[in-house]
Amino acid sequence: MSNQINFEYSLDFAQKMDEKDPLKSFRSKFFFPKVEDKEAIYFCGNSLGLQPKTTQNYIQKELSNWAEMAVDGHFHGEDAWYHIRKKSKPALAEIVGAHEHEVVAMNNLTSNLHFLMVSFYRPNAKRFKIITEAGAFPSDMYMLETQVKFHGLDPNKAIVELAPRDGEHTLRTEDILQSIKEQGEELALVMMAGLQYYTGQVFDMKAIAQAVKDEGAFVGFDLAHAAGNVPLALHDWGVDFATWCSYKYMNSGPGNVSGIFVHENHAEKPDMIRFAGWWGHDEGERFKMEKGFKPMFGADGWQLANSNVLALAAHQASLDIFQQAGIKTLREKSETLTSYLEFLIQKISGNSGVLEIITPKNINERGCQLSLLVHKGGKAVFDEFYKNGIVGDWRNPNVIRIAPTPLYNSYEDVFRFAKILEQSLQKFA
């Protein structure tokens, strides 16, 4: 769609785009922060999504249930807590492209990665290597390093980090696939981001999953920056496992509940190694309080403790908005909104030498984030943005991440950003 639009650097054009935006009413469903007493241009949903105005009501409902029923709330009321995890499943399944029994909201992201690695990283003398992307998010790097050490292995020998070619900022799919083939029978697992947090590159998860299967290994993805942002089809792609957080594009609150995907190929394997807890045990027999772990069918069998009811309430407030908006409509707007941002940055920065977009130009290889490599001015460029009301994200050593989110950002937001960018570049060019 964006390729068919003749973008213009004008307020009139941006306002006309907003007027015909099918999602324009959703902006009013969120609270916007202020910078210098003015409503911010909030382009930081890739770090923390805005709060839906309904969140307080969703949480208050559960607080009231707690006040009025106390322990009876587990089995009584409209959304009895014993089964409350089920409420988020339809939306989560739609967002990540899965069956409902393949997803469940639980824990937080890095905890889930560790628990899933217990099941899907089973190294032996022959198969012990893990492929990941160089410069992965620190939690992923630390998780992989300590998992490998847990098995008594050397991270420098077991972990294969893939870096872009010299002079390039992003990985080529053919290089990823070639590495998978080269590791061959030594490969135990590919575990990498679905969307690289620093560059904004979306990896070809379908092609990677197929290549991994061809080598007889497992494949999993950290979808922290992909879930709620880009189209996913985890079931159809044959991904073994994935996990994500809910506080970025899914707007569920700082540090809020994560979620996992486990392919139905592993749905009914009671002997599969895992670290168990009673909430993953067969709920029909859970209160017998007997020895002998009997996992529930599907992703639910990886649960450990009781559902965090207040966290799930905040999560549901946002998931309900997602279902109202529609994943397809969100993606269509995202492609156009981000392309408009790209158009304006290129038009304004030109040959200034201050900024360079390092996120792929192909819309199928990116979400709504554009990563701007700062060649002149360093963090002072970012500070200038913030001083003028732009809330983005600085990542060392020299990248500004800007993410216009389709649920609540407008074309006028992008235009206003461009005017500030134009003003700021005059100081650093």
Side-chain angles (χ1 to χ4, degrees):
M1 179 180 174
S2 59
N3 295 331
Q4 302 169 1
I5 298 174
N6 294 317
F7 292 127
E8 298 175 14
Y9 182 16
S10 73
L11 177 60
D12 181 64
F13 173 83
Q15 290 176 336
K16 285 180 178 177
M17 290 294 289
D18 284 330
E19 189 57 37
K20 58 186 180 182
D21 175 15
L23 296 172
K24 62 184 177 182
S25 65
F26 284 83
R27 181 182 179 90
S28 65
K29 296 180 183 291
F30 294 86
F31 291 110
F32 280 77
K34 291 185 177 181
V35 174
E36 302 292 338
D37 294 324
K38 294 181 181 178
E39 185 178 288
I41 302 172
Y42 194 80
F43 285 165
C44 206
N46 57 339
S47 186
L48 179 66
L50 295 181
Q51 181 187 142
K53 293 179 179 177
T54 54
T55 300
Q56 186 173 346
N57 293 335
Y58 278 61
I59 295 175
Q60 185 57 54
K61 178 183 175 183
E62 298 305 336
L63 289 174
S64 297
N65 287 340
W66 179 20
E68 294 165 10
M69 292 186 286
V71 71
D72 287 340
H74 284 95
F75 297 100
H76 299 283
E78 182 182 350
D79 295 309
W81 301 329
Y82 194 72
H83 302 289
I84 199 167
R85 74 186 188 285
K86 297 179 181 179
K87 191 170 184 179
S88 61
K89 282 175 173 281
L92 291 176
E94 185 177 355
I95 288 170
V96 303
H99 297 309
E100 290 184 24
H101 61 260
E102 294 177 313
V103 296
V104 67
M106 67 182 209
N107 303 334
N108 61 31
L109 190 152
T110 307
S111 298
N112 283 336
L113 280 173
H114 276 296
F115 289 127
L116 290 164
M117 289 286 286
V118 170
S119 299
F120 293 99
Y121 182 55
R122 308 298 303 163
N124 54 43
K126 182 179 181 181
R127 285 192 183 273
F128 64 96
K129 289 188 177 180
I130 301 172
I131 290 177
T132 192
E133 85 270 20
F137 194 81
S139 268
D140 289 8
M141 290 192 287
Y142 306 152
M143 180 279 297
L144 289 175
E145 174 189 346
T146 54
Q147 281 282 336
V148 166
K149 288 181 176 179
F150 176 75
H151 289 283
L153 301 174
D154 181 354
N156 293 319
K157 295 179 180 178
I159 301 174
V160 179
E161 297 184 50
L162 305 183
R165 298 184 185 185
D166 290 343
E168 299 182 1
H169 298 293
T170 55
L171 280 166
R172 296 190 186 188
T173 299
E174 61 262 35
D175 291 347
I176 300 173
L177 303 184
Q178 180 61 32
S179 179
I180 292 169
K181 187 174 182 180
E182 287 174 355
Q183 300 308 320
E185 293 184 352
E186 289 187 322
L187 183 64
L189 173 69
V190 170
M191 209 309 293
M192 58 193 299
L195 190 156
Q196 220 283 333
Y197 86 100
Y198 190 76
T199 65
Q201 178 185 13
V202 175
F203 296 118
D204 189 339
M205 289 172 268
K206 179 180 180 180
I208 292 170
Q210 183 57 59
V212 173
K213 291 302 170 189
D214 290 345
E215 300 301 331
F218 288 127
V219 58
F221 292 102
D222 174 347
L223 301 175
H225 291 268
N229 180 16
V230 295
L232 299 167
L234 300 183
H235 174 84
D236 290 345
W237 295 340
V239 173
D240 289 300
F241 70 92
T243 184
W244 54 87
C245 54
S246 69
Y247 48 83
K248 300 185 191 308
Y249 295 104
M250 282 195 272
N251 316 304
S252 299
N256 203 359
V257 65
S258 174
I260 68 167
F261 163 89
V262 178
H263 198 281
E264 70 176 6
N265 290 340
H266 314 291
E268 202 163 17
K269 293 182 177 179
D271 294 330
M272 193 170 189
I273 299 296
R274 70 189 86 193
F275 287 167
W278 83 314
W279 226 247
H281 185 79
D282 179 4
E283 63 185 347
E285 300 181 5
R286 188 178 293 156
F287 277 95
K288 288 184 178 180
M289 310 299 233
E290 296 175 343
K291 288 183 178 180
F293 178 69
K294 181 180 178 182
M296 294 180 67
F297 180 80
D300 288 355
W302 272 263
Q303 294 178 104
L304 282 89
N306 312 40
S307 300
N308 187 326
V309 173
L310 299 183
L312 287 177
H315 192 26
Q316 196 65 44
S318 180
L319 291 177
D320 285 349
I321 293 174
F322 263 85
Q323 291 204 294
Q324 293 165 19
I327 300 300
K328 184 175 183 291
T329 306
L330 284 167
R331 177 57 177 173
E332 288 172 352
K333 177 181 175 181
S334 179
E335 290 177 355
T336 307
L337 193 65
T338 306
S339 294
Y340 186 44
L341 174 65
E342 178 188 37
F343 165 81
L344 293 179
I345 291 172
Q346 291 176 334
K347 185 175 182 65
I348 292 165
S349 63
N351 298 319
S352 68
V354 177
L355 299 175
E356 175 190 359
I357 299 174
I358 62 172
T359 305
K361 188 172 182 62
N362 185 336
I363 60 175
N364 296 317
E365 296 177 11
R366 71 185 187 196
C368 68
Q369 171 185 315
L370 292 183
S371 295
L372 312 180
L373 187 66
V374 182
H375 291 294
K376 297 179 182 179
K379 192 171 182 291
V381 178
F382 174 78
D383 294 339
E384 184 72 16
F385 284 177
Y386 187 82
K387 187 167 63 177
N388 286 280
I390 298 169
V391 180
D393 186 58
W394 173 263
R395 291 290 160 162
N396 288 320
N398 57 346
V399 159
I400 298 172
R401 304 187 307 165
I402 299 294
T405 305
L407 256 180
Y408 49 72
N409 282 129
S410 66
Y411 292 90
E412 186 170 342
D413 284 341
V414 173
F415 172 80
R416 289 169 58 207
F417 166 83
K419 295 299 288 185
I420 294 168
L421 172 64
E422 187 173 35
Q423 169 189 316
S424 300
L425 289 184
Q426 293 174 3
K427 294 187 176 184
F428 300 101

